[in-house]
Amino acid sequence: MNKRIRTPVKRRLEINDEAGIGVSRNFHSIVVEAGGYEALTFDERDVRNHIENARRLRLGVGDVESIAFYFHRMQQENSNFYSGIDFDVDGRIRNLFWVDARSRVAYKAFGDVVSFDTTYLTNKYDMPFAPFVGVNHHGQSILFGCGLLSNENTDTFVWLFKEWLNCMSATPPNAIITDQCRAMQNAIQIVFPEAQHRWCLWHVMKKISEKLRGYSQYEAIKFALQSAVYDSFRKNEFDEEWQTMIEKFSLHDNEWLGYDNALRSKVEKETKADFKSRDRLYDCLTVYEFEKQFRAAYTNAKFKEVQVELKRLLYYHANLVKEEGSICTYHVKEAVLVGEKMKKVEFLVYFNSTEFEIQCVCRWFEFRGIMCAHSLSVLIERSIYEVPNKDIMSRWRKDLEIGYTCIPTTYTKSGAALNVKVHENYHKTLDEIIEIASNDNGKHKAIQLGLREIKERYYSQGA
């Protein structure tokens, strides 16, 4: 919401771009028309990103008609031809997907394993071309479907995979092979949760030169790596060969080789941060009680962001300018250093004395989840030194319950005793129970008592 460009402004930017007006001049014209930078909810970088995306989506004269004609002709030739078109909010084509009748039949025979790759680019629009590829009974590549995408984010891949799944009678592949794309991985987990997802070996192996050529024993390392990958027939054989290679050539510090090490490192960093947030408290900068509230609730990293806002209080002063019923309007002046001169910038803050709600036009709380110094200065002006629980974001809490730490992985033993499916079923059941209880305190107490009894019963049995 904070960075939204309204549709009329988008169209104006695109018209100017088509007329050959550069991004900077284009943005400046919007600034002048709006009456200044502070009147806009976006900046030049947002404009540049939008124009670059719009250029990708900008089809040439006759292209839309050509696509429609092609899809119609294929449909006429065989009613099993499948096509899907994804439109953006302005009604323009964003993504395309199509599968001919032959490919749909081929998938029924050879669709147990599918390779999906977006490394191909069309020359004209620089849009990722995304083919679904399999292998037939001759060992030959066979096409199962094609996509033409405007970008490579999770939402786009989710749309594409859902279209493809719908086309293939809701039958997902047993296994899917892709390159190392996080957005693609996220979409696969959403649409094909049961499929075995593996990285493409070709993509991995082609990076050997890029990642390892700097070593003096590069040729020997490459030979050992290829031997481990291609000549190992069992997992334990590969593990032994891999470890021997790491030890022999002292490759412990090579981040590219340490896939599991990198993941394990992230887990360890998160665990350490959790421990520090619970064990170590930062000193407060002020005497205000709300700082202590945030310190007690938030992780250290987020509390430090709160303290950044507290430091800014030195430059703020809030004045009540209007009071209509329970709504109080404040002007908060901020002293900003521009070059060598101080400039006063004014912000509007609204305080609802009945609902105890506060809102600042800077929208920092909505955008970052941290209460801004403008709002804090108003609370201080009203001699309010504590904030309600609704102003303490639950997702920043140090005591947040995070179920994924119980999920077993190949790179950490954490949660190894708990099966993933069992864990998901527990969470689903608990969510259903919470939904039934809703806001009924009586039901909540009964549920809490029942859970404690279950815990004590099985804990005593385990002991």
Side-chain angles (χ1 to χ4, degrees):
M1 291 295 294
N2 200 48
K3 309 294 281 187
R4 185 172 179 268
I5 305 177
R6 293 184 297 110
T7 299
V9 178
K10 288 180 183 178
R11 289 175 179 160
R12 173 76 176 278
L13 291 168
E14 291 166 21
I15 290 170
N16 289 346
D17 182 59
E18 289 184 46
I21 298 173
V23 175
S24 295
R25 285 181 58 200
N26 201 347
F27 175 62
H28 183 67
S29 69
I30 300 296
V31 171
V32 172
E33 187 174 304
Y37 293 93
E38 62 275 3
L40 299 178
T41 59
F42 54 90
D43 55 26
E44 185 172 338
R45 183 176 63 179
D46 301 316
V47 169
R48 189 176 300 278
N49 290 339
H50 173 73
I51 289 175
E52 286 178 357
N53 193 46
R55 287 172 180 170
R56 279 187 168 186
L57 300 174
R58 192 178 295 149
L59 299 178
V61 176
D63 285 348
V64 175
E65 290 80 7
S66 296
I67 291 170
F69 177 75
Y70 172 76
F71 284 174
H72 176 73
R73 180 168 61 83
M74 295 299 290
Q75 185 72 33
Q76 291 295 107
E77 290 179 5
N78 193 314
S79 60
N80 278 332
F81 177 83
Y82 184 98
S83 64
I85 303 178
D86 180 34
F87 296 93
D88 67 6
V89 292
D90 298 317
R92 296 171 305 186
I93 292 177
R94 179 165 54 188
N95 303 303
L96 298 170
F97 171 69
W98 66 97
V99 182
D100 63 24
R102 182 185 179 95
S103 293
R104 296 181 77 177
V105 175
Y107 179 75
K108 292 180 180 179
F110 307 115
D112 54 342
V113 179
V114 173
S115 173
F116 178 70
D117 195 354
T118 59
T119 57
Y120 305 97
L121 297 176
T122 63
N123 293 326
K124 190 172 182 181
Y125 299 118
D126 197 33
M127 293 171 71
F129 174 68
F132 293 86
V133 178
V135 174
N136 66 11
H137 57 308
H138 296 291
Q140 300 165 331
S141 295
I142 185 168
L143 192 63
F144 291 147
C146 303
L148 197 60
L149 312 177
S150 63
N151 57 59
E152 297 179 84
N153 60 31
T154 298
D155 290 341
T156 296
F157 287 130
V158 166
W159 174 85
L160 181 66
F161 292 161
K162 283 184 176 179
E163 283 290 326
W164 188 65
L165 195 59
N166 186 54
C167 166
M168 300 304 183
S169 304
T171 305
N174 295 333
I176 186 165
I177 301 169
T178 71
D179 62 13
Q180 298 158 332
C181 172
R182 174 63 65 180
M184 203 181 293
Q185 180 177 337
N186 293 339
I188 288 170
Q189 291 173 350
I190 294 170
V191 186
F192 309 130
E194 300 297 328
Q196 293 288 325
H197 178 213
R198 295 292 182 266
W199 288 342
C200 173
L201 182 60
W202 179 81
H203 282 102
V204 174
M205 298 304 286
K206 76 172 186 176
K207 293 184 178 180
I208 292 177
S209 176
E210 173 191 345
K211 302 295 183 179
L212 301 176
R213 184 167 288 281
Y215 289 89
S216 59
Q217 295 178 282
Y218 166 70
E219 291 298 331
I221 294 173
K222 183 174 73 170
F223 179 83
L225 179 56
Q226 291 174 336
S227 176
V229 170
Y230 295 119
D231 298 335
S232 300
F233 298 101
R234 294 180 178 83
K235 180 180 182 298
N236 63 328
E237 291 178 6
F238 173 82
D239 290 341
E240 291 173 5
E241 290 287 329
W242 186 272
Q243 195 57 42
T244 299
M245 178 189 71
I246 296 294
E247 296 289 343
K248 181 177 180 181
F249 300 106
S250 299
L251 298 171
H252 304 86
D253 296 329
N254 186 283
E255 294 181 1
W256 181 69
L257 291 176
Y259 292 126
D260 278 2
N261 290 335
L263 295 171
R264 185 184 298 114
S265 175
K266 290 182 181 294
V267 172
E268 289 173 354
K269 286 179 181 178
E270 182 177 355
T271 303
K272 288 178 181 177
D274 286 340
F275 177 77
K276 288 181 179 179
S277 290
R278 291 184 173 92
D279 188 62
R280 176 189 171 192
L281 295 178
Y282 284 102
D283 293 333
C284 285
L285 300 176
T286 72
V287 296
Y288 302 124
E289 187 62 30
F290 49 66
E291 184 179 9
K292 294 179 183 176
Q293 283 182 273
F294 289 122
R295 182 177 68 170
Y298 284 0
T299 61
N300 286 351
K302 287 300 168 183
F303 178 61
K304 287 172 70 176
E305 290 187 30
V306 172
Q307 289 196 319
V308 169
E309 295 302 306
L310 291 171
K311 291 176 183 178
R312 296 170 64 190
L313 285 174
L314 180 65
Y315 306 101
Y316 292 171
H317 181 66
N319 287 312
L320 178 64
V321 294
K322 186 165 59 175
E323 194 167 356
E324 296 178 337
S326 61
I327 306 299
C328 304
T329 303
Y330 286 84
H331 282 181
V332 179
K333 292 184 178 181
E334 177 181 1
V336 179
L337 185 63
V338 180
E340 296 180 354
K341 295 182 178 180
M342 296 297 292
K343 178 183 177 182
K344 290 289 183 68
V345 181
E346 197 168 76
F347 293 86
L348 286 176
V349 179
Y350 303 98
F351 181 80
N352 187 322
S353 57
T354 302
E355 302 294 331
F356 205 89
E357 292 180 345
I358 193 164
Q359 188 178 71
C360 179
V361 294
C362 79
R363 297 285 182 176
W364 194 246
F365 184 76
E366 290 81 357
F367 182 56
R368 297 284 298 182
I370 299 293
M371 187 174 283
C372 66
H374 314 120
S375 297
L376 293 174
S377 67
V378 169
L379 294 182
I380 294 170
E381 180 68 19
R382 297 183 65 89
S383 300
I384 298 172
Y385 305 117
E386 292 187 28
V387 297
N389 288 332
K390 62 186 175 183
D391 289 328
I392 298 178
M393 291 286 288
S394 60
R395 70 152 13 260
W396 307 143
R397 296 185 67 94
K398 65 180 72 177
D399 58 357
L400 184 68
E401 293 294 333
I402 44 178
Y404 65 79
T405 56
C406 299
I407 296 176
T409 65
T410 60
Y411 49 87
T412 174
K413 295 181 180 179
S414 173
L418 185 60
N419 179 276
V420 177
K421 279 294 172 189
V422 173
H423 181 268
E424 290 177 352
N425 288 336
Y426 283 156
H427 261 285
K428 182 180 179 182
T429 303
L430 288 172
D431 287 341
E432 291 171 353
I433 291 172
I434 291 170
E435 177 114 13
I436 292 170
S438 188
N439 293 320
D440 191 316
N441 288 332
K443 289 180 180 178
H444 274 304
K445 289 179 180 178
I447 290 169
Q448 191 70 25
L449 180 62
L451 291 174
R452 283 202 189 101
E453 289 177 355
I454 293 172
K455 178 182 175 182
E456 290 172 2
R457 185 191 316 156
Y458 286 101
Y459 182 80
S460 61
Q461 288 179 6

